[in-house]
Amino acid sequence: MARACPEGLTGSPIHAGRIMALAVALAVAGAGCSTSSPGGEPVTGAASAAASSGAFPSPPVAAGAIRVAASFYPLAYAVERVGGPRVAVTNLTRPGAEPHDVELTPTDVATIESAALVVYLKGFQPAVDEAVARRDSARTVEVSGPARLLSDGSRTDPHFWLDPTRYASVTLELARRLAELDPADATGYRQRGQALAGELAGLDRQFRAGLATCASRDLVTGHTAFGYLAAAYRFTQVGISGLSPEAEPDPASMARIASYVRTKGVTTVYTETLVSPAAARAVADEAGATLAVLDPLEGLAQASAGRDYLSVMRANLATLRAGQRCT
């Protein structure tokens, strides 16, 4: 489960000048904490990290393919893999955009209304929830059930795809629903779903083996997007900000986390793609730690360390092994 910074963090005192530096860094982060852009044309092809530039073209789609709208990258990737050439996927969150607060254009809304199926995660993207509410529920797949979302009692963590086993459960549910929608290729959907689930099981084994023995089990991140990863692989997550990457931590909280980093002997603080690294960098600088990029895979961008979910997750594993000093 995603955990906020523990109460009562202690350590060496933070000097007033350093607190001021943290406050300045926080102001910078607040001014540019997200690379999200409102609205825009939908991007077809979940596997492309930069479909708008044509850098990573979508796989070929058969004539008469079933049109599916997916609300953000992990769902679009899973639908593409399970659907194969029978399905044409539109990702409602454009590549490089931060998906939490995506805004929909009239074209996006029309895409949702005309799609044979819409795949989304309720509560993650309010604009999508509003548009989907007008649809027949039989033509939607809301994935929170098979994802088995975690909650701290007040907030539900949406980032289930960072646990490959939960993501595999969603993959199999998508295969089942697509088989119902298009029974002519039911066997194909099930086979492709099982194939992706098998790859995800292999990824989980790689993470378990690679992170079994680490010098540090404290995971200090820019925002608390890594709760499922932390729970699956025995880390304690400490987020500089909360579940929303646009939440602005106050300088006192940042100072406490910097003290925690020093006290616990943490050597790496993780920032991420799609959001400003300013707050994480300020904490790392204050505590004498290094900064590394850990990708929450909410979307792909040119800066992503891979071309798809699996390759970025393997890059995350390498980053964690170095940052947590695993053997």
Side-chain angles (χ1 to χ4, degrees), residues 225-292:
F226 299 92
Y228 291 94
L229 187 153
Y233 305 114
R234 300 185 299 110
F235 291 105
T236 298
Q237 178 182 217
V238 177
I240 296 170
S241 63
L243 284 172
S244 171
E246 293 190 357
E248 297 184 7
D250 61 82
S253 296
M254 293 170 67
R256 285 197 300 272
I257 294 173
S259 178
Y260 180 88
V261 169
R262 281 198 305 274
T263 300
K264 291 288 189 176
V266 172
T267 58
T268 304
V269 173
Y270 299 97
T271 185
E272 61 193 63
T273 55
L274 303 184
V275 299
S276 168
R281 180 180 290 119
V283 168
D285 288 348
E286 164 61 25
T290 60
L291 199 66

Coordinates of all heavy atoms in Angstrom, one line a residue, residues 225-292:
A225 N 3.5 6.9 -6.0 CA 3.0 6.1 -7.1 C 3.4 4.6 -7.1 O 2.9 3.8 -7.8 CB 3.4 6.7 -8.5
F226 N 4.3 4.3 -6.2 CA 5.0 3.0 -6.2 C 4.6 2.0 -5.1 O 5.3 1.2 -4.7 CB 6.5 3.1 -6.2 CG 6.9 3.9 -7.5 CD1 7.1 5.3 -7.4 CD2 7.2 3.3 -8.7 CE1 7.5 6.0 -8.5 CE2 7.6 4.0 -9.8 CZ 7.7 5.4 -9.7
G227 N 3.4 2.3 -4.5 CA 2.9 1.5 -3.4 C 2.7 0.0 -3.7 O 3.0 -0.9 -2.9
Y228 N 2.2 -0.3 -4.9 CA 2.0 -1.7 -5.3 C 3.4 -2.4 -5.5 O 3.5 -3.6 -5.1 CB 1.2 -1.8 -6.6 CG -0.3 -1.4 -6.4 CD1 -0.7 -0.1 -6.6 CD2 -1.2 -2.3 -5.9 CE1 -2.0 0.3 -6.4 CE2 -2.5 -1.9 -5.7 CZ -2.9 -0.6 -6.0 OH -4.2 -0.2 -5.8
L229 N 4.3 -1.7 -6.1 CA 5.6 -2.3 -6.3 C 6.3 -2.5 -5.0 O 6.9 -3.5 -4.7 CB 6.5 -1.3 -7.2 CG 7.9 -1.8 -7.6 CD1 8.2 -1.1 -8.9 CD2 8.9 -1.5 -6.6
A230 N 6.1 -1.5 -4.0 CA 6.7 -1.6 -2.7 C 6.1 -2.8 -2.0 O 6.9 -3.6 -1.3 CB 6.5 -0.3 -1.9
A231 N 4.8 -3.0 -2.0 CA 4.2 -4.1 -1.3 C 4.5 -5.4 -1.9 O 4.8 -6.4 -1.2 CB 2.6 -3.9 -1.4
A232 N 4.7 -5.5 -3.2 CA 5.0 -6.8 -3.9 C 6.4 -7.2 -3.6 O 6.7 -8.4 -3.5 CB 4.7 -6.7 -5.4
Y233 N 7.3 -6.2 -3.4 CA 8.8 -6.6 -3.4 C 9.4 -6.2 -2.1 O 10.6 -6.0 -2.0 CB 9.5 -6.1 -4.6 CG 8.8 -6.6 -5.9 CD1 8.2 -5.7 -6.7 CD2 8.7 -8.0 -6.2 CE1 7.5 -6.2 -7.9 CE2 8.0 -8.4 -7.3 CZ 7.4 -7.5 -8.1 OH 6.8 -8.0 -9.2
R234 N 8.6 -6.0 -1.0 CA 9.1 -5.8 0.3 C 9.9 -4.5 0.5 O 10.9 -4.5 1.2 CB 9.9 -7.0 0.8 CG 9.1 -8.3 0.8 CD 9.9 -9.4 1.4 NE 11.1 -9.7 0.7 CZ 12.3 -9.5 1.1 NH1 12.5 -8.9 2.3 NH2 13.4 -9.7 0.4
F235 N 9.4 -3.4 0.0 CA 10.0 -2.1 0.3 C 9.0 -1.2 1.1 O 7.8 -1.5 1.1 CB 10.3 -1.3 -1.0 CG 11.4 -1.9 -1.8 CD1 11.1 -2.7 -3.0 CD2 12.7 -1.8 -1.4 CE1 12.1 -3.2 -3.7 CE2 13.8 -2.4 -2.1 CZ 13.5 -3.1 -3.3
T236 N 9.5 -0.2 1.8 CA 8.7 0.8 2.5 C 8.8 2.0 1.6 O 9.9 2.6 1.5 CB 9.3 1.1 3.9 OG1 9.2 -0.1 4.7 CG2 8.5 2.2 4.6
Q237 N 7.7 2.5 1.1 CA 7.7 3.7 0.3 C 7.5 4.9 1.1 O 6.6 5.0 2.0 CB 6.5 3.6 -0.8 CG 6.4 4.8 -1.6 CD 5.3 4.8 -2.6 OE1 5.4 5.3 -3.7 NE2 4.2 4.3 -2.2
V238 N 8.3 5.9 0.8 CA 8.2 7.2 1.5 C 8.1 8.2 0.3 O 9.0 8.4 -0.4 CB 9.4 7.6 2.4 CG1 9.2 9.0 3.0 CG2 9.5 6.5 3.5
G239 N 6.9 8.9 0.2 CA 6.7 9.8 -0.9 C 6.9 11.2 -0.5 O 6.5 11.6 0.6
I240 N 7.6 12.0 -1.3 CA 7.7 13.4 -1.1 C 6.4 14.2 -1.2 O 6.1 15.1 -0.5 CB 8.8 14.0 -2.0 CG1 10.2 13.4 -1.7 CG2 8.9 15.5 -1.8 CD1 11.2 13.7 -2.7
S241 N 5.6 13.7 -2.2 CA 4.2 14.2 -2.3 C 3.3 13.0 -2.3 O 3.7 11.9 -2.3 CB 4.0 15.1 -3.5 OG 4.2 14.4 -4.7
G242 N 2.0 13.2 -2.4 CA 1.0 12.2 -2.2 C 0.7 11.4 -3.5 O 1.5 11.4 -4.5
L243 N -0.5 10.8 -3.6 CA -0.8 10.0 -4.8 C -0.9 10.9 -6.1 O -0.6 10.4 -7.2 CB -2.2 9.3 -4.6 CG -2.1 8.1 -3.7 CD1 -3.5 7.6 -3.3 CD2 -1.3 7.0 -4.3
S244 N -1.3 12.1 -6.0 CA -1.3 13.0 -7.1 C 0.1 13.6 -7.3 O 0.6 14.2 -6.4 CB -2.4 14.1 -7.0 OG -2.2 15.1 -8.0
P245 N 0.6 13.6 -8.5 CA 2.0 14.2 -8.7 C 1.9 15.7 -8.6 O 3.0 16.3 -8.5 CB 2.3 13.7 -10.1 CG 1.1 13.4 -10.8 CD 0.1 12.9 -9.7
E246 N 0.7 16.3 -8.7 CA 0.6 17.7 -8.6 C 0.5 18.2 -7.2 O 0.4 19.4 -7.0 CB -0.5 18.2 -9.5 CG -0.2 18.0 -11.0 CD -1.2 18.7 -11.9 OE1 -2.2 19.3 -11.4 OE2 -1.1 18.6 -13.1
A247 N 0.4 17.3 -6.2 CA 0.3 17.8 -4.8 C 1.6 18.4 -4.5 O 2.7 17.9 -4.8 CB 0.0 16.6 -3.9
E248 N 1.6 19.5 -3.8 CA 2.8 20.3 -3.5 C 3.2 20.1 -2.0 O 2.5 20.5 -1.1 CB 2.5 21.8 -3.7 CG 2.2 22.1 -5.2 CD 2.1 23.6 -5.4 OE1 2.4 24.4 -4.4 OE2 1.7 24.0 -6.5
P249 N 4.3 19.4 -1.8 CA 4.8 19.2 -0.4 C 5.3 20.5 0.2 O 5.8 21.3 -0.5 CB 5.9 18.2 -0.6 CG 6.4 18.4 -1.9 CD 5.2 18.8 -2.8
D250 N 5.0 20.7 1.5 CA 5.5 21.9 2.1 C 7.0 21.7 2.5 O 7.5 20.6 2.6 CB 4.7 22.3 3.3 CG 4.7 21.2 4.4 OD1 5.7 21.2 5.2 OD2 3.8 20.4 4.4
P251 N 7.7 22.8 2.6 CA 9.2 22.7 3.0 C 9.5 21.9 4.2 O 10.5 21.2 4.3 CB 9.6 24.2 3.1 CG 8.6 24.9 2.2 CD 7.3 24.2 2.4
A252 N 8.6 22.0 5.2 CA 8.8 21.3 6.5 C 8.8 19.8 6.2 O 9.6 19.0 6.7 CB 7.8 21.7 7.5
S253 N 7.8 19.4 5.4 CA 7.7 17.9 5.1 C 8.9 17.5 4.3 O 9.5 16.4 4.5 CB 6.4 17.7 4.3 OG 5.3 17.9 5.0
M254 N 9.4 18.3 3.4 CA 10.6 18.0 2.6 C 11.8 17.9 3.5 O 12.6 17.0 3.3 CB 10.8 19.0 1.5 CG 9.7 19.0 0.4 SD 9.8 20.4 -0.7 CE 11.3 20.0 -1.6
A255 N 11.9 18.8 4.4 CA 13.0 18.7 5.4 C 13.0 17.5 6.2 O 14.0 16.8 6.5 CB 13.0 20.0 6.3
R256 N 11.8 17.0 6.7 CA 11.7 15.8 7.4 C 12.1 14.6 6.6 O 12.8 13.7 7.1 CB 10.2 15.6 7.9 CG 9.9 16.5 9.1 CD 8.6 16.0 9.8 NE 7.5 16.0 9.0 CZ 6.6 17.0 8.8 NH1 6.9 18.2 9.4 NH2 5.6 16.9 8.0
I257 N 11.7 14.6 5.3 CA 12.1 13.5 4.5 C 13.6 13.5 4.2 O 14.2 12.4 4.2 CB 11.3 13.5 3.2 CG1 9.8 13.3 3.5 CG2 11.8 12.4 2.2 CD1 8.9 13.5 2.3
A258 N 14.2 14.6 4.0 CA 15.6 14.7 3.9 C 16.3 14.1 5.1 O 17.3 13.4 5.0 CB 16.0 16.1 3.6
S259 N 15.8 14.5 6.3 CA 16.3 13.9 7.5 C 16.2 12.4 7.6 O 17.1 11.7 8.0 CB 15.6 14.6 8.7 OG 16.1 14.0 10.0
Y260 N 15.0 11.9 7.1 CA 14.8 10.5 7.1 C 15.8 9.8 6.1 O 16.3 8.7 6.5 CB 13.4 10.2 6.6 CG 12.9 8.8 6.5 CD1 12.4 8.1 7.5 CD2 13.0 8.1 5.3 CE1 11.9 6.8 7.4 CE2 12.6 6.8 5.1 CZ 12.1 6.2 6.2 OH 11.7 4.9 6.1
V261 N 16.0 10.4 5.0 CA 17.0 9.8 4.0 C 18.4 9.7 4.7 O 19.0 8.6 4.6 CB 17.1 10.7 2.8 CG1 18.2 10.3 1.9 CG2 15.7 10.6 2.0
R262 N 18.8 10.7 5.4 CA 20.1 10.6 6.1 C 20.1 9.6 7.2 O 21.1 8.8 7.3 CB 20.5 12.0 6.6 CG 21.0 13.0 5.6 CD 21.8 14.1 6.3 NE 20.9 14.8 7.3 CZ 20.1 15.7 7.0 NH1 20.0 16.2 5.8 NH2 19.4 16.3 7.9
T263 N 19.1 9.6 8.0 CA 19.0 8.7 9.1 C 19.0 7.2 8.7 O 19.7 6.4 9.3 CB 17.8 9.0 10.0 OG1 17.9 10.4 10.5 CG2 17.7 8.1 11.2
K264 N 18.3 7.0 7.6 CA 18.1 5.6 7.2 C 19.3 5.1 6.2 O 19.3 4.0 5.8 CB 16.8 5.4 6.4 CG 15.6 5.5 7.3 CD 15.4 4.3 8.2 CE 14.1 4.2 8.9 NZ 13.9 3.0 9.7
G265 N 20.2 6.0 5.9 CA 21.3 5.7 5.0 C 20.8 5.5 3.6 O 21.4 4.7 2.8
V266 N 19.7 6.1 3.2 CA 19.2 6.0 1.8 C 20.2 6.8 0.9 O 20.6 7.9 1.2 CB 17.8 6.6 1.7 CG1 17.3 6.7 0.3 CG2 16.8 5.8 2.5
T267 N 20.6 6.2 -0.2 CA 21.6 6.8 -1.1 C 21.0 7.3 -2.4 O 21.6 8.0 -3.1 CB 22.7 5.8 -1.4 OG1 22.1 4.6 -2.0 CG2 23.5 5.4 -0.2
T268 N 19.7 6.9 -2.6 CA 19.1 7.3 -3.9 C 17.6 7.8 -3.6 O 16.9 7.1 -2.9 CB 19.0 6.1 -4.9 OG1 20.3 5.6 -5.1 CG2 18.4 6.5 -6.2
V269 N 17.3 8.9 -4.2 CA 15.9 9.4 -4.2 C 15.4 9.4 -5.6 O 16.2 9.7 -6.6 CB 15.9 10.9 -3.7 CG1 14.5 11.5 -3.8 CG2 16.3 10.9 -2.2
Y270 N 14.2 8.9 -5.8 CA 13.7 8.7 -7.2 C 12.8 9.8 -7.6 O 11.8 10.1 -7.0 CB 13.0 7.3 -7.3 CG 13.9 6.2 -6.9 CD1 14.0 5.6 -5.6 CD2 14.8 5.7 -7.9 CE1 14.8 4.6 -5.3 CE2 15.6 4.6 -7.6 CZ 15.6 4.1 -6.3 OH 16.5 3.1 -6.0
T271 N 13.1 10.3 -8.8 CA 12.1 11.2 -9.5 C 11.5 10.3 -10.6 O 11.7 9.1 -10.6 CB 12.8 12.5 -10.0 OG1 11.8 13.3 -10.6 CG2 13.9 12.1 -11.1
E272 N 10.7 11.0 -11.5 CA 10.1 10.2 -12.5 C 9.8 11.0 -13.8 O 10.1 12.2 -13.8 CB 8.7 9.7 -11.9 CG 7.8 10.8 -11.6 CD 6.6 10.4 -10.8 OE1 6.8 9.9 -9.7 OE2 5.4 10.5 -11.2
T273 N 9.5 10.2 -14.8 CA 9.1 10.9 -16.1 C 7.8 11.6 -15.9 O 7.0 11.3 -15.0 CB 9.0 9.9 -17.2 OG1 8.1 8.9 -16.8 CG2 10.3 9.2 -17.5
L274 N 7.5 12.6 -16.8 CA 6.2 13.3 -16.9 C 6.0 14.4 -15.8 O 5.1 15.2 -15.9 CB 5.0 12.4 -16.9 CG 5.0 11.3 -18.0 CD1 3.7 10.5 -17.9 CD2 5.2 11.9 -19.3
V275 N 6.8 14.4 -14.7 CA 6.7 15.5 -13.7 C 8.0 16.1 -13.4 O 9.1 15.5 -13.7 CB 6.0 15.0 -12.4 CG1 4.6 14.4 -12.7 CG2 6.9 13.9 -11.8
S276 N 8.0 17.3 -12.9 CA 9.2 18.0 -12.5 C 10.0 17.3 -11.5 O 9.4 16.8 -10.5 CB 8.9 19.5 -12.1 OG 10.0 20.1 -11.5
P277 N 11.3 17.2 -11.6 CA 12.1 16.6 -10.6 C 12.5 17.5 -9.4 O 13.3 17.1 -8.6 CB 13.4 16.1 -11.4 CG 13.5 17.2 -12.4 CD 12.1 17.6 -12.8
A278 N 12.0 18.8 -9.4 CA 12.6 19.8 -8.5 C 12.5 19.4 -7.1 O 13.5 19.5 -6.3 CB 11.9 21.1 -8.8
A279 N 11.4 18.9 -6.6 CA 11.2 18.6 -5.2 C 12.1 17.4 -4.8 O 12.8 17.4 -3.8 CB 9.8 18.3 -4.9
A280 N 12.1 16.4 -5.6 CA 13.0 15.2 -5.4 C 14.5 15.6 -5.4 O 15.2 15.2 -4.5 CB 12.7 14.1 -6.4
R281 N 14.8 16.5 -6.3 CA 16.2 16.9 -6.4 C 16.6 17.7 -5.1 O 17.7 17.6 -4.6 CB 16.5 17.8 -7.6 CG 17.9 18.2 -7.7 CD 18.1 19.1 -9.0 NE 18.1 18.2 -10.2 CZ 17.2 18.4 -11.2 NH1 16.3 19.4 -11.1 NH2 17.2 17.6 -12.2
A282 N 15.7 18.5 -4.6 CA 16.0 19.3 -3.5 C 16.2 18.4 -2.2 O 17.1 18.7 -1.5 CB 14.8 20.3 -3.2
V283 N 15.4 17.4 -2.1 CA 15.5 16.5 -1.0 C 16.8 15.7 -1.1 O 17.6 15.6 -0.2 CB 14.3 15.5 -0.9 CG1 14.6 14.3 0.0 CG2 13.1 16.2 -0.5
A284 N 17.1 15.2 -2.3 CA 18.4 14.5 -2.5 C 19.6 15.4 -2.3 O 20.6 15.0 -1.6 CB 18.4 14.0 -4.0
D285 N 19.6 16.6 -2.7 CA 20.7 17.5 -2.5 C 20.9 17.8 -1.0 O 22.0 17.8 -0.5 CB 20.5 18.9 -3.2 CG 20.6 18.7 -4.8 OD1 21.1 17.7 -5.2 OD2 20.2 19.6 -5.5
E286 N 19.8 18.0 -0.3 CA 19.8 18.3 1.1 C 20.4 17.1 1.9 O 21.2 17.3 2.8 CB 18.4 18.7 1.6 CG 18.3 18.6 3.1 CD 19.2 19.6 3.9 OE1 19.6 20.6 3.3 OE2 19.5 19.3 5.0
A287 N 20.0 15.9 1.5 CA 20.4 14.7 2.2 C 21.7 14.1 1.7 O 22.2 13.1 2.3 CB 19.3 13.7 2.1
G288 N 22.3 14.7 0.7 CA 23.5 14.1 0.1 C 23.3 12.8 -0.6 O 24.2 11.9 -0.7
A289 N 22.1 12.6 -1.2 CA 21.8 11.4 -1.9 C 21.8 11.7 -3.4 O 21.9 12.9 -3.9 CB 20.4 10.9 -1.6
T290 N 21.9 10.7 -4.2 CA 21.8 10.8 -5.7 C 20.4 10.8 -6.2 O 19.5 10.3 -5.4 CB 22.6 9.8 -6.4 OG1 22.1 8.5 -6.1 CG2 24.1 9.8 -6.0
L291 N 20.1 11.2 -7.4 CA 18.8 11.3 -8.0 C 18.8 10.3 -9.1 O 19.7 10.2 -9.9 CB 18.5 12.7 -8.5 CG 17.0 13.0 -8.7 CD1 16.3 13.1 -7.4 CD2 17.0 14.4 -9.4
A292 N 17.7 9.4 -9.2 CA 17.6 8.5 -10.3 C 16.1 8.5 -10.8 O 15.2 9.0 -10.0 CB 17.9 7.1 -9.9

